[in-house]
Amino acid sequence: MSADWRPAEPLVGREPELERLLAATGVTDPEARGGVLLSGDAGIGKTRLLRELAARAADAGHRVLAGHCLDLGDSAIPFQPFAQVLAALDDTTRKAMSDAMPPLGPLMWGAADGAGIDRGELFSSVVAALELLAASQPVLLVVEDAHWADASTRHLIRYVLSHRYEGDVRIVVSYRSDDLHRRHPLRADVAEWIRLPGVQRLDLGPLADSEVRELVRSRAAGVVDARGLAAIVRRAEGNAFIVEELLDVDDKSGALPPTLADLLLVRLDRLDDAGRQVVRALACAGGEVGDELLSVVVDLPPRTLEEGVRAALDHRILSRTRSDGYGFRHALFAEVVRDDLLPGERRRIHAAYVRALSGLGDSADVARHAFEAGLDEVAFTASLRAAERATRVAGHNEAADHYERALSVVSAAPEGTDVVGLVIAASEAKTTAGYVRRAWVLVEDFLEQADDLSGEERARLLVAYGTAALMADRVHEPRKALDELFELVPEQPTPLRAAVEELAARVASNERHFDEAIRWATQAMTLGQRLGLNRLVADAAATKARARARIGDDPEGDERRFLEVAKIAATEGDVVAELRARHHLAFYYHERGMLDRAEAEFLRTMKTAVQAGRQWAPYGFDGRFFASVAAYALGHWDLVLELCDVAMLQPPKVPAADLEAVALLVSAGRGDTSALRTAERLRALWHKDIVLAIQSATAAIDLAHDADEATRWHDDLVLTLTDKWDGEFVPARLRMGGLLVGRLADEATHASTVTRSEWVERADQLRADADRVIEERGPFGPEGLAWSLRLDAEILRLRWSVGGEVPLAELLAAWRETTEAFGALGQVYEEARSASRLAAVLQAAGDVAGAKEVASAAHEQAVGLGAAPLARELEALAGAPVRPAASHASASQVAGEKPLTAREREVLDHLVEGRTNGEIASLLFISTKTVSVHVSNILAKLGAATRTEAAAIARRQRA
């Protein structure tokens, strides 16, 4: 740390906060671990406090590393503060680190040609670099202005905060709390970061009046009279920055400019022309600027430039940085100066930066200046380079933004630019980032607006459009695109024709025309192999395998074909084809009722996608979503909550809502009627995703307060499926009908005669609708058959409840068959629910012993799920209180009759080590609420009253 970086004036009014920081960062408490989130309003004194901390830490022998997030708007540079930290290391250290940890190369030395890096490897390498530096001396990492951090940087901050370092590594992250409006992306991050073990939050509030007076005296002793001092105290309201600005106003007690911007500009007016030129140039920089760059941007003789810089420093507008550059003492000043520039003046300054940075600076920075300067051609080219660089470091969100900015000035693209390829790349980037619907809309908008496309260009776009439409679950658009493609693309051996045939296979499969899908897939594979299109061949093979599996004529060969495609794709390094093949394999298991294998394969798909940086892209996100659906069916409800708890991962809006909808199913089973509020909120997004609509509405049918409300949820869902998705007769209608008739049957005995009659008619109509679903969309696998049986059984129960002539033998047979069907599937909750109906009928038939036997077994299932409403119902049917196994701890409770799940054993291990719920949540990457659920289950299974007792029981069992 250079001497001029050290504070020149004493720190005033922040002694308690400084002491806390010194302890938390290991300067005064070597045993401290973790990090600090330092927040406060703009100008409140965060940077000044951090400078004091850094100076004290450096004096105590710590290595201080500092990086800044920059306000670059849409031209964000992924991992900017970490790149700044690594680039500031000496060349020898950088060379050694980049050789040992290749993923750090792009951050240390700038973008490099070649294959991109895996985000997980990059994150691990950053942590490893900090550990390496800490081997020689304690490390203090400071990341400033996180409110400007891009998504990739925020993810990396979370990663370094959550890591448990072997060496002495402490981290401080600062941000403007007044910038965190309701929709600010950092808001959710901070809420998660503060829950990490060892991370604490320090919020800087306003200085007290006495501290403001002390600050004034320390800066201008004897200069400010009592009246001026009172004016400053009153007007500054404890903001240190405003205090210092008021000190430079001559008349402290007189009229002040109406706004702070005017007040700040008064100081700018005190500079000479050279000083103002320097300040205005720096205001457009977006960060600190070194002497060399400043001398190119500001057209002044060297001596005059130096005088201008000196004047800006002396007037306390600028300050020196640790890298021998210059920056504003307060970011607010830069904003005010930038906003005060005339349009032409601003463009000229940005154009100067473009000239200075071209060929040298970061592409995103060049693009930002070029856009501001109105240099569209430069902005276009630089945005493309920035998008490519962001893609190499797995910054898919940023890549999509850069591509879109390039498209906004596509009219300035150099002659010969493949604009169609750019649109397709932008769509693929959005898809990879998880914004599937936006990817489709982007291509659709371009197709509608472009009127000078060649036939081949339009065909390429239509292939991308059809593919994106399929991903977005559009019903008619893929076929419409395909019909036009057949007219545009002749049957010739070209890559474009191969792409059309591969798309035709997907569309046919999606429309359930499986023979046609196999024919097109075979043609696409043949042509693709001839042309060397390996990825296309893999995609077509996956589609063909999927179609064969849906026909069901070779069940032994279906699994083998999916595995072969996945293996070949993995060997070729084609992660998308591998994910797709495994996704189809998981569905193959799911549709055949092999839910355990389906869950495992969906989880594997999810993990592969996460490693590839595609966790929100199609197939990657589907892995997480359908793993949670399978886990719900299997009764792995705590796993469902883990998979759906993704707030810390910053998912796109619709995928996050999809997972919320699945979690609602658990809430419904556990009787949390407050979850209806979540269902109501998700209703506004039903038009975005059909599975979101189905999962949230079916949960709401169970959660509804009465049968009428349940009916409204059912009918609203049918209306949405019909109007928005052209899916009035989707397979989910079997489940929807079974749940609704169940609600009607529950309340039928208390309904009026008219209402009963209406409900019976409604049930018959739901059966007719189900029959049409089976006719149009069947045949179904074991799950569809189970729900069809359930619907029939519920209709019989409804008729029986209203006094209809239903033979008990028929009713018993229906519920036995239904219970067995769900039991064979491994659907624990639905088996237990069906068993409760069966027990009630057995009881009514006089078979009390049989009813108790059935109810007792189902009760154990309900208790294991935490399904309290169903457990109470079954307890009543059993005729006596049914309790879980003995309350005393025994070996069988740890690993016998009521064993802990794998996740519960992990949590118990951490309990034994004395960790808090927050610490366990961070280590297992789940929420504190989910940990609490696990702890409750552990206490129940071990018969322990407290977490301490549970830990003691576990220790005894291991002794």
Side-chain angles (χ1 to χ4, degrees), residues 225-245:
D225 59 20
R227 177 177 293 183
L229 179 58
I232 292 175
V233 171
R234 183 179 72 253
R235 295 175 178 178
E237 296 183 340
N239 187 291
F241 171 56
I242 297 177
V243 169
E244 298 198 14
E245 300 311 310

Side-chain angles (χ1 to χ4, degrees), residues 84 128 153 211 246 290 298 362 377 471 519-520 524 613 645 647 664 673 700 760 886:
Q84 183 180 359
T153 298
E211 293 168 337
L246 288 170
V298 181
D362 185 89
E377 186 171 342
M471 296 294 187
R519 177 171 59 83
W520 282 118
D645 182 13
L664 275 180
T673 55
V760 169

Side-chain angles (χ1 to χ4, degrees), residues 2 37 58 71 117 244 366 393 440 524 541 591 608 642 672 699 896 939:
S2 59
L37 306 181
D71 182 16
I117 59 174
E244 298 198 14
V366 174
V393 295
W440 165 63
E591 289 164 357
T608 301
E642 288 182 32
D672 180 9
L939 296 183

Side-chain angles (χ1 to χ4, degrees), residues 374-385:
L375 301 174
D376 290 352
E377 186 171 342
V378 177
F380 177 86
T381 303
S383 292
L384 286 188
R385 289 200 299 267

